[in-house]
Amino acid sequence: MRRPLSAALLLATACATPASPRAPPVAPPLPIARASSPSPDPRPEVNERPLLVRGGTVMTADGAIFRPGFVLVVEGRIAAVGAGEGEAPADATVIDARGKVVTPGLIDAHSHAGVYPWPSAEAHADGNEMTAPTTPHVRAEEGFWPQDAGLSRALSGGVTILQVLPGSANLVGGHSFVAHLVPGTSARELRLPGAPTGLKIACGENPKRVYGGRNTQPMTRMGNAASFRAAFQRAAEYERLRLRYARDLTAWRERAALREQGALPPPPDKPDDPPEPPPRDEGLETLAGVLRGEVLVQNHCYRADDMHQMLDLAHEFGFRIRAFHHALEAYKLRDRLAAEEVAIATWVDWWGFKMEALDAVPQNVALLTDANVRAILHSDSPREVRRLHHEAAKARAAGRRIGLDFSDDQLLRWITANPAWALGIDDQAGTLAPGKLGDLVLWSGDPFSVYTRAEQVFVNGVKRYDLRAPVRSDVELGWPKDEVTP
Amino acid sequence: MTPLTAICVAGACALVGARVEIGDGRVLERANVLVRDGRIVDVTTAAPPAGLPVLDVAGKTVTPGLFEASSNLGLVEVGAEKSSNDSVPGGALFTPAFRAADGFNASSLHVETAREEGVTAAIVRPDGGLLSGQGGLARLTGRAVDGPDPARPVALFGQVGAGAAEAAGGARGSVWLALRQLFDDARWYAANRAAVDRNAGRPLASSPLQLQALLPVLEGRLPLVLAADRASDLRAALAFAKEQKIRLAIEGGAEAWLLADELAAAKVAVIVAPSAQDPSSLDRMHARDDLAAVLHARGVLVVLTSSANELNLRRLRQEAGLAVAWGLPRDVALAAITGAPAKLYGLDGELGLVAKGRRADLVIWSGDPLEHATVAERVLIGGIERDTHTRQRELAEKYLRR
């Protein structure tokens, strides 16, 4: 299996902190370009009858494990969780979970589902806009093919939410979006309402290889950094113009109001026209959104020195990096990552496939968790996404080899609560708590055993996967099976 | 974890009281494995003879060292770095004389990383073209002398299917045309060496050296392992093997269940990566997660591999566990990463079983070897406990202390 090109760039750019507006009540900012069309978010389908899952072990990823416990989902949201059997509302669908384990739906913080879909085909390579190293204006949502046969496979691994990212060929790859695994014929139907926009950026080898191969910048890590710095400098200037415009507009409105009240004389010579708005650029708007903290930076970055450099750059321009992805050397700067509150999304045992992956250790997640860094196990792969629970088990086993051990609740956090935070959706997903999404997995047993499979998966309280009768995508329907029966 | 004191240091010891998984599906409870001169001399429930150092392994599980059936181990260090990637002969569709052994690096970091997770043997094979070249057996001691013997290849490796078709000119028919031409030329060459030596031969699809290397395959002495997934490619491979009267094995085989009976009848083994049974390409639209289980149930010899992952042999036991989750009987799965690959390559007299006369390549596990939480506590190769520390652990421990 060849790894999908996923990438990270170094980010850099720069400059001064965004101009701080003195002007009092600033006009509302121009809307940031969002990975959605102006039409309202679709209303997801939710369970019509209350769903009560009871009798099994309930792992909340929130500190509590109930043996036995119950989870009640009403109209797509968790209504109650606790020990014992729970109260079944009159018309409830009751699932008997005896001998089984219930967890929140898993969350994959790093996916290229839909933009590098199955079956892979040249015609479907829609994840890397490799025409310029900085493409903050493109959106994974607009390259996403909802018939990807990998989506049903992700569900089969208990995953109900994916962050779909552009690839890592570019320094700035474009908008990511958070996909909720409900059926749909458009990406918009899958986009999780309320999830913030993410921006994929990439450090290191991939961008410099792609563009250096064309004899264009970046060809080196130096070029990576310089390109980042230039991009964020432009964004800072763009933001300054926007703020100046907002200030001028406010002042003009104030003058106009005063004139209306007769408190200010009319302008003597020429009319006092409203200020001209600055030109709008979607890419710069996105980067300015990063500077304002509205867009979450998702940074593909492997090496410790690259991560240090990116954090320095973020300080230089006054923005935050929400998560480093892949980050195989994160254990080397775990204290700084904890202090700066950057999440780390990584693998357990992928390593050595390129130089920046040479110092990977299977103890990365253990070492990070030990230092209070939010550690995440991600897939970056339509195969691995099916087995995040196995990866968590392997990460624990690796930690034990160096004397670090973790609870089942902690293992679950690596694949639920922590990625929810990295995606900015921890208010609505990642743990079993009242008010959160009704995404549940019913496992055949201990989710951290190699022999365990997801048997049923619920999204918004609606069963979307059943081991006995998995639903497949359109692309898989109707292929003749030769003359043989299984 | 505190390092254990090595007991088996001189190729002779008695492992006492373990649950022993033989590697062919059978299990012995509370058995003793006796090792002398680097080989297993007995597996018994009788008391061990005096004089052998005793390793008490009561409560542990002993298995044969795990056996990876297909890998680029020792040929690839850093995949993307050309200077350390020696897996692809390049330059020609057919390189049957290419020997993986010539590029094998016994000191590869991938060797110790695999060994830490109980892998003691691996087939090392080249990639690319239609017939990439000869693979050999490496035992994972980290010593060059235990690398593949260039004079003793275990199989010729190649691929058909979409990728090969592209290499051959664009069409699947081109693949089989080219292979038939090559095999025909090899037979002609074998019968007309003198004419070729006199420069009085006919134009040949490849050089005499390459054609010579095909003869063990033509004579049925060396199996041909072809990677392919689509049922039509597998049928074509079966037909080709029958027509050429050669021994065939399949690697990949995502759609092999569609012709399981034919594969079983032809005694063609399939090397399966359980984690990769998905419709990831148009060659694999009929992939199913329970492929290994279905093939086994229909009488096909199933061998499991970690090769769905870019050179990560330590995942071999996880692959076996996954096959069990999808219906392969537990003991068959263990055999599919020990005895079965040894059998496939004709090495089961030497390796892959905890049985008298076999090399003492053994792993002592803290529990079920297929479970994530289980640790390979001791790894013996040739009856000697090998280091299971790795560079990766050294790095982790360095930063743990900081």
Side-chain angles (χ1 to χ4, degrees), chain A residues 342-407:
Chain A
V342 181
I344 294 296
T346 188
W347 304 285
V348 179
D349 61 3
W350 276 14
W351 73 289
F353 41 92
K354 51 181 171 173
M355 284 307 290
E356 61 191 4
L358 192 57
D359 280 6
V361 302
Q363 287 81 17
N364 199 19
V365 159
L367 286 164
L368 291 164
T369 305
D370 179 54
N372 295 314
V373 177
R374 276 190 191 88
I376 295 163
L377 289 163
H378 69 4
S379 81
D380 192 18
S381 152
R383 284 190 178 143
E384 298 291 301
V385 67
R386 308 182 65 185
R387 287 174 283 277
L388 292 178
H389 55 302
H390 287 183
E391 296 307 295
K394 285 158 62 180
R396 170 160 63 189
R400 285 175 177 160
R401 286 185 184 267
I402 59 166
L404 300 176
D405 199 3
F406 300 99
S407 67

Side-chain angles (χ1 to χ4, degrees), chain B residues 14-322:
Chain B
L15 312 182
V16 175
R19 176 174 205 270
V20 177
E21 302 207 31
I22 303 294
D24 59 2
R26 289 177 299 152
V27 176
L28 294 175
E29 300 291 346
R30 286 179 295 283
N32 306 324
V33 181
L34 310 185
V35 175
R36 284 187 205 277
D37 297 326
R39 289 192 182 258
I40 297 163
V41 293
D42 204 0
V43 183
T44 172
T45 49
L52 279 179
V54 170
L55 182 54
D56 179 2
V57 286
K60 312 291 184 189
T61 294
V62 172
T63 69
L66 308 187
F67 189 135
E68 169 55 64
S70 176
S71 77
N72 297 140
L73 183 72
L75 302 183
V76 175
E77 195 65 36
V78 177
E81 199 62 29
K82 290 193 192 84
S83 63
S84 71
N85 189 332
D86 298 299
S87 61
V88 179
L93 288 178
F94 309 111
T95 46
F98 181 99
R99 306 183 300 187
D102 292 331
F104 180 76
N105 175 19
S107 305
S108 167
L109 294 171
H110 293 269
V111 170
E112 60 175 27
T113 308
R115 192 171 59 217
E116 183 189 24
E117 296 292 342
V119 182
T120 63
I123 300 304
V124 179
R125 57 159 293 177
D127 282 326
L130 301 190
L131 295 182
S132 319
Q134 302 165 20
L137 168 72
R139 291 165 76 213
L140 275 57
T141 59
R143 304 185 324 152
V145 67
D146 295 314
D149 181 347
R152 297 184 58 196
V154 298
L156 182 65
F157 289 85
Q159 36 275 318
V160 297
E166 193 178 345
R172 282 173 157 80
S174 313
V175 171
W176 298 109
L177 171 62
L179 282 170
R180 288 201 166 85
Q181 180 70 63
L182 182 76
F183 277 60
D184 189 57
D185 282 358
R187 287 209 167 78
W188 189 89
Y189 166 73
N192 297 277
R193 265 179 255 224
V196 173
D197 288 346
R198 288 196 316 273
N199 216 11
R202 69 182 202 190
L204 296 169
S206 197
S207 70
L209 184 68
Q210 304 277 19
L211 296 172
Q212 179 72 33
L214 261 187
L215 300 184
V217 175
L218 295 177
E219 293 158 6
R221 288 184 284 123
L222 199 65
L224 175 63
V225 179
L226 286 179
D229 285 312
R230 202 171 85 178
S232 71
D233 293 322
L234 302 175
R235 285 189 199 290
L238 268 183
F240 182 76
K242 195 170 175 188
E243 150 200 327
Q244 300 287 340
K245 299 186 174 62
I246 60 173
R247 282 164 57 204
L248 177 70
I250 294 296
E251 177 168 8
E255 298 187 349
W257 62 276
L258 287 166
L259 52 151
D261 294 340
E262 291 143 88
L263 291 164
K267 294 190 172 18
V268 171
V270 182
I271 303 171
V272 173
S275 68
Q277 301 314 315
D278 41 49
S280 53
S281 77
L282 291 170
D283 280 10
R284 305 163 57 85
M285 294 308 288
H286 296 126
R288 50 190 295 163
D289 282 306
D290 56 359
L291 175 67
V294 171
L295 291 178
H296 169 74
R298 299 276 282 277
V300 178
L301 177 66
V302 174
V303 172
L304 302 179
T305 179
S306 71
S307 63
N309 301 288
E310 212 165 309
L311 197 52
N312 216 354
L313 278 69
R314 59 183 158 185
R315 286 193 167 194
L316 187 54
R317 64 196 185 103
Q318 182 187 357
E319 292 284 356
L322 195 60

